[in-house]
PDB file of all heavy atoms in Angstrom:
ATOM      1  N   LEU A1042     137.651  96.788 107.919  1.00  0.00           N
ATOM      2  CA  LEU A1042     137.311  97.204 106.563  1.00  0.00           C
ATOM      3  C   LEU A1042     135.789  97.282 106.361  1.00  0.00           C
ATOM      4  O   LEU A1042     135.300  98.156 105.636  1.00  0.00           O
ATOM      5  CB  LEU A1042     137.922  96.224 105.557  1.00  0.00           C
ATOM      6  CG  LEU A1042     137.546  96.429 104.083  1.00  0.00           C
ATOM      7  CD1 LEU A1042     137.988  97.804 103.592  1.00  0.00           C
ATOM      8  CD2 LEU A1042     138.158  95.333 103.219  1.00  0.00           C
ATOM      9  N   GLY A1043     135.045  96.388 106.997  1.00  0.00           N
ATOM     10  CA  GLY A1043     133.588  96.393 106.845  1.00  0.00           C
ATOM     11  C   GLY A1043     132.968  97.716 107.263  1.00  0.00           C
ATOM     12  O   GLY A1043     132.018  98.195 106.633  1.00  0.00           O
ATOM     13  N   LYS A1044     133.489  98.333 108.314  1.00  0.00           N
ATOM     14  CA  LYS A1044     132.956  99.618 108.771  1.00  0.00           C
ATOM     15  C   LYS A1044     133.266 100.730 107.766  1.00  0.00           C
ATOM     16  O   LYS A1044     132.451 101.621 107.530  1.00  0.00           O
ATOM     17  CB  LYS A1044     133.524  99.975 110.162  1.00  0.00           C
ATOM     18  CG  LYS A1044     133.038  99.040 111.265  1.00  0.00           C
ATOM     19  CD  LYS A1044     133.558  99.429 112.624  1.00  0.00           C
ATOM     20  CE  LYS A1044     132.834 100.621 113.226  1.00  0.00           C
ATOM     21  NZ  LYS A1044     131.443 100.333 113.583  1.00  0.00           N
ATOM     22  N   LEU A1045     134.448 100.659 107.151  1.00  0.00           N
ATOM     23  CA  LEU A1045     134.801 101.655 106.138  1.00  0.00           C
ATOM     24  C   LEU A1045     133.892 101.512 104.920  1.00  0.00           C
ATOM     25  O   LEU A1045     133.395 102.527 104.389  1.00  0.00           O
ATOM     26  CB  LEU A1045     136.271 101.488 105.725  1.00  0.00           C
ATOM     27  CG  LEU A1045     136.715 102.337 104.520  1.00  0.00           C
ATOM     28  CD1 LEU A1045     136.555 103.821 104.823  1.00  0.00           C
ATOM     29  CD2 LEU A1045     138.143 102.015 104.123  1.00  0.00           C
ATOM     30  N   VAL A1046     133.678 100.281 104.467  1.00  0.00           N
ATOM     31  CA  VAL A1046     132.818 100.069 103.298  1.00  0.00           C
ATOM     32  C   VAL A1046     131.419 100.616 103.551  1.00  0.00           C
ATOM     33  O   VAL A1046     130.823 101.288 102.692  1.00  0.00           O
ATOM     34  CB  VAL A1046     132.763  98.568 102.920  1.00  0.00           C
ATOM     35  CG1 VAL A1046     131.738  98.325 101.812  1.00  0.00           C
ATOM     36  CG2 VAL A1046     134.133  98.080 102.471  1.00  0.00           C
ATOM     37  N   PHE A1047     130.894 100.350 104.741  1.00  0.00           N
ATOM     38  CA  PHE A1047     129.571 100.895 105.076  1.00  0.00           C
ATOM     39  C   PHE A1047     129.614 102.425 105.128  1.00  0.00           C
ATOM     40  O   PHE A1047     128.682 103.104 104.681  1.00  0.00           O
ATOM     41  CB  PHE A1047     129.094 100.335 106.409  1.00  0.00           C
ATOM     42  CG  PHE A1047     127.764 100.881 106.859  1.00  0.00           C
ATOM     43  CD1 PHE A1047     126.627 100.723 106.073  1.00  0.00           C
ATOM     44  CD2 PHE A1047     127.645 101.565 108.059  1.00  0.00           C
ATOM     45  CE1 PHE A1047     125.392 101.232 106.481  1.00  0.00           C
ATOM     46  CE2 PHE A1047     126.423 102.081 108.469  1.00  0.00           C
ATOM     47  CZ  PHE A1047     125.302 101.909 107.678  1.00  0.00           C
ATOM     48  N   ALA A1048     130.703 102.981 105.664  1.00  0.00           N
ATOM     49  CA  ALA A1048     130.835 104.432 105.804  1.00  0.00           C
ATOM     50  C   ALA A1048     130.835 105.152 104.458  1.00  0.00           C
ATOM     51  O   ALA A1048     130.451 106.324 104.368  1.00  0.00           O
ATOM     52  CB  ALA A1048     132.124 104.770 106.564  1.00  0.00           C
ATOM     53  N   LEU A1049     131.240 104.458 103.394  1.00  0.00           N
ATOM     54  CA  LEU A1049     131.298 105.083 102.068  1.00  0.00           C
ATOM     55  C   LEU A1049     129.910 105.418 101.527  1.00  0.00           C
ATOM     56  O   LEU A1049     129.785 106.214 100.600  1.00  0.00           O
ATOM     57  CB  LEU A1049     132.025 104.153 101.094  1.00  0.00           C
ATOM     58  CG  LEU A1049     133.511 103.912 101.395  1.00  0.00           C
ATOM     59  CD1 LEU A1049     134.085 102.874 100.440  1.00  0.00           C
ATOM     60  CD2 LEU A1049     134.313 105.202 101.346  1.00  0.00           C
ATOM     61  N   GLY A1050     128.879 104.823 102.091  1.00  0.00           N
ATOM     62  CA  GLY A1050     127.520 105.174 101.701  1.00  0.00           C
ATOM     63  C   GLY A1050     127.108 104.622 100.348  1.00  0.00           C
ATOM     64  O   GLY A1050     126.402 105.290  99.583  1.00  0.00           O
ATOM     65  N   ILE A1051     127.507 103.399 100.038  1.00  0.00           N
ATOM     66  CA  ILE A1051     127.140 102.768  98.759  1.00  0.00           C
ATOM     67  C   ILE A1051     125.649 102.415  98.799  1.00  0.00           C
ATOM     68  O   ILE A1051     125.173 101.797  99.751  1.00  0.00           O
ATOM     69  CB  ILE A1051     127.961 101.484  98.527  1.00  0.00           C
ATOM     70  CG1 ILE A1051     129.462 101.797  98.630  1.00  0.00           C
ATOM     71  CG2 ILE A1051     127.630 100.877  97.171  1.00  0.00           C
ATOM     72  CD1 ILE A1051     130.342 100.561  98.651  1.00  0.00           C
ATOM     73  N   ARG A1052     124.918 102.803  97.783  1.00  0.00           N
ATOM     74  CA  ARG A1052     123.473 102.557  97.749  1.00  0.00           C
ATOM     75  C   ARG A1052     123.181 101.059  97.839  1.00  0.00           C
ATOM     76  O   ARG A1052     123.883 100.234  97.234  1.00  0.00           O
ATOM     77  CB  ARG A1052     122.848 103.127  96.479  1.00  0.00           C
ATOM     78  CG  ARG A1052     122.903 104.642  96.414  1.00  0.00           C
ATOM     79  CD  ARG A1052     121.926 105.193  95.413  1.00  0.00           C
ATOM     80  NE  ARG A1052     120.567 104.919  95.851  1.00  0.00           N
ATOM     81  CZ  ARG A1052     119.647 104.389  95.056  1.00  0.00           C
ATOM     82  NH1 ARG A1052     119.928 104.039  93.829  1.00  0.00           N
ATOM     83  NH2 ARG A1052     118.435 104.191  95.505  1.00  0.00           N
ATOM     84  N   HIS A1053     122.160 100.716  98.603  1.00  0.00           N
ATOM     85  CA  HIS A1053     121.675  99.339  98.801  1.00  0.00           C
ATOM     86  C   HIS A1053     122.599  98.500  99.691  1.00  0.00           C
ATOM     87  O   HIS A1053     122.318  97.325  99.912  1.00  0.00           O
ATOM     88  CB  HIS A1053     121.484  98.605  97.459  1.00  0.00           C
ATOM     89  CG  HIS A1053     120.644  99.324  96.474  1.00  0.00           C
ATOM     90  ND1 HIS A1053     119.323  99.672  96.724  1.00  0.00           N
ATOM     91  CD2 HIS A1053     120.920  99.810  95.235  1.00  0.00           C
ATOM     92  CE1 HIS A1053     118.830 100.310  95.689  1.00  0.00           C
ATOM     93  NE2 HIS A1053     119.778 100.414  94.772  1.00  0.00           N
ATOM     94  N   ILE A1054     123.695  99.072 100.209  1.00  0.00           N
ATOM     95  CA  ILE A1054     124.635  98.302 101.009  1.00  0.00           C
ATOM     96  C   ILE A1054     124.590  98.780 102.464  1.00  0.00           C
ATOM     97  O   ILE A1054     125.075  99.860 102.802  1.00  0.00           O
ATOM     98  CB  ILE A1054     126.083  98.421 100.463  1.00  0.00           C
ATOM     99  CG1 ILE A1054     126.129  98.024  98.986  1.00  0.00           C
ATOM    100  CG2 ILE A1054     127.040  97.563 101.274  1.00  0.00           C
ATOM    101  CD1 ILE A1054     125.648  96.618  98.683  1.00  0.00           C
TER     102      ILE A1054
END
Side-chain angles (χ1 to χ4, degrees):
L1042 174 60
K1044 293 182 77 68
L1045 171 62
V1046 173
F1047 178 59
L1049 295 174
I1051 306 170
R1052 294 198 66 229
H1053 307 300
I1054 305 301

